[in-house]
Amino acid sequence: MDVSGLVWAGTLVVLTGILLVDLLIIGRRPHEPSVRESSLWVGFYVALALIFGAGVWLASGARAAGEFYTGWLTEYSLSVDNLFVFVIIMARFGVPRKYQQKVLLIGIVLALVMRGGFIAAGAALISQFSWVFYIFGAFLIYTAINLARQGEPDEDEFSENVLIRWSRRALPISRDYDGAKMTTRSPNGKRMFTPMLIVMIAIGTTDLIFALDSIPAIFGITQEPYLVFTANVFALMGLRQLYFLLGGLLERLIYLSYGLAVVLGFIGVKLVLEALAENNLPFVNGGEHVSWAPHIPIWLSLTVILGTLAVATVASLVKSSRDRRRLLADARR
């Protein structure tokens, strides 16, 4: 897929414009969006991704479009998993609901910047060293095993990282929020940071950790930097509204982590197989390509990912409904 500098520039301008619109909406009127507002925005961003994929199909063919859709779906599902941690952070630091939009949007901007850096570094490594796929694949398999063991995080398991603890000790932090501001003045006029700064640090470091999982995952689907970048951007756009749309539904997706573990494990195995097929490491098969390593086509990857996420979602909703009925029955006794 040959992407010109003009196409890159045009894409960046359009996506930045959409992001600025989001910033203006929040800056002018901080509020908790309604279900209708959130639904319209999420639908708009999903439609935008589908239209973009259709454009990729027309410009570069079905394979490139399939890679974009599969990458976008994978990143979108991983982004939904991010929301569990965002919910915990918001609850842990008592962020008022009407200011959570700003926190989420800044978190999304930070995630875009971090992922942009990781994508550039990953693309450079892959172009020079094909054995990087071994590392990416092993990391994803390791992450999948850990995710399956731990399940979804809860508030009791959330622990503040080193940067948050250092910020609490080293910086003057006020006890209360001052709207969505990062700084405020104490009663004696001293300039202080608000707890909003700590929340931003927590969101930013969380974004960094999730980027370490998501970037190798999408490079297991496509090695085209343009598709990797746009799939990530479209997966993150609308995440703010999705946070408010899902609301309590997140608590019902109890098997989502297991579904994501299967997805990450599948992509990890796919990466290792591709590394074997392109092998040039002297201590693996004498430095020769491994002929038996199969190539997993994009249609199969998309089918596995879609099927796994669908099963995990349906199983979660069935299980949570049964548990709710059981609790109601016990309460009536």
Side-chain angles (χ1 to χ4, degrees):
M1 183 178 178
D2 186 21
V3 182
S4 67
L6 185 62
V7 172
W8 266 105
T11 303
L12 290 172
V13 168
V14 171
L15 294 178
T16 302
I18 295 171
L19 189 61
L20 287 174
V21 170
D22 241 354
L23 282 168
L24 288 173
I25 290 174
I26 293 178
R28 288 184 176 181
R29 190 170 63 92
H31 67 291
E32 179 182 347
S34 65
V35 172
R36 181 177 181 276
E37 179 185 343
S38 299
S39 300
L40 289 173
W41 276 105
V42 170
F44 168 74
Y45 284 123
V46 169
L48 210 59
L50 296 175
I51 292 169
F52 180 84
V56 171
W57 192 320
L58 292 174
S60 302
R63 178 179 175 80
E67 290 178 354
F68 169 76
Y69 283 131
T70 306
W72 169 66
L73 181 64
T74 301
E75 294 298 307
Y76 201 75
S77 58
L78 289 171
S79 296
V80 171
D81 198 46
N82 290 21
L83 295 182
F84 283 97
V85 182
F86 289 169
V87 168
I88 293 171
I89 291 173
M90 299 291 190
R92 181 67 175 266
F93 295 102
V95 182
R97 289 284 289 182
K98 67 178 181 177
Y99 300 126
Q100 290 182 9
Q101 282 206 84
K102 182 175 181 179
V103 175
L104 291 168
L105 187 57
I106 292 176
I108 290 168
V109 172
L110 290 173
L112 285 171
V113 172
M114 291 177 190
R115 293 188 188 197
F118 279 121
I119 289 167
L125 283 172
I126 289 170
S127 66
Q128 296 294 322
F129 310 105
S130 60
W131 51 261
V132 170
F133 282 147
Y134 284 116
I135 298 175
F136 282 0
F139 178 73
L140 288 179
I141 293 170
Y142 170 78
T143 303
I145 293 171
N146 280 344
L147 188 58
R149 285 177 176 174
Q150 296 171 4
E152 295 299 346
D154 57 44
E155 191 171 352
D156 293 334
E157 295 174 348
F158 178 81
S159 58
E160 297 183 357
N161 58 50
V162 174
L163 186 57
I164 295 176
R165 293 197 298 270
W166 176 86
S167 300
R168 285 189 182 278
R169 291 195 306 267
L171 301 175
I173 307 292
S174 66
R175 294 174 58 89
D176 302 314
Y177 289 93
D178 185 3
K181 297 177 183 177
M182 295 280 193
T183 61
T184 187
R185 288 193 179 276
S186 64
N188 61 8
K190 181 182 177 182
R191 177 68 69 177
M192 302 180 72
F193 293 101
T194 70
M196 190 65 75
L197 175 66
I198 304 298
V199 175
M200 294 303 180
I201 293 173
I203 292 288
T205 50
T206 299
D207 284 335
L208 177 61
I209 294 169
F210 276 107
L212 292 173
D213 296 338
S214 65
I215 298 306
I218 193 165
F219 271 117
I221 294 167
T222 177
Q223 287 82 59
E224 172 54 54
Y226 182 77
L227 296 180
V228 172
F229 176 74
T230 51
N232 266 276
V233 173
F234 280 107
L236 290 170
M237 293 170 93
L239 192 62
R240 171 175 63 84
Q241 292 88 352
L242 188 64
Y243 172 89
F244 292 99
L245 177 62
L246 293 179
L249 184 61
L250 283 173
E251 298 177 359
R252 300 178 61 191
L253 298 177
I254 54 178
Y255 295 133
L256 179 62
S257 61
Y258 300 107
L260 291 175
V262 172
V263 170
L264 291 177
F266 169 78
I267 297 174
V269 171
K270 181 176 183 290
L271 276 171
V272 172
L273 291 174
E274 290 185 8
L276 289 170
E278 301 293 331
N279 178 66
N280 56 18
L281 293 178
F283 54 85
V284 177
N285 198 38
E288 299 295 326
H289 302 328
V290 178
S291 58
W292 59 260
H295 170 71
I296 299 177
I298 197 66
W299 66 264
L300 181 58
S301 298
L302 183 58
T303 302
V304 170
I305 293 169
L306 271 174
T308 301
L309 294 175
V311 169
T313 301
V314 171
S316 296
L317 296 177
V318 169
K319 176 68 164 59
S320 59
S321 295
R322 286 178 179 174
D323 290 345
R324 185 175 298 179
R325 287 198 297 268
R326 188 178 298 114
L327 286 174
L328 289 173
D330 291 342
R332 291 170 182 168
R333 290 173 185 172

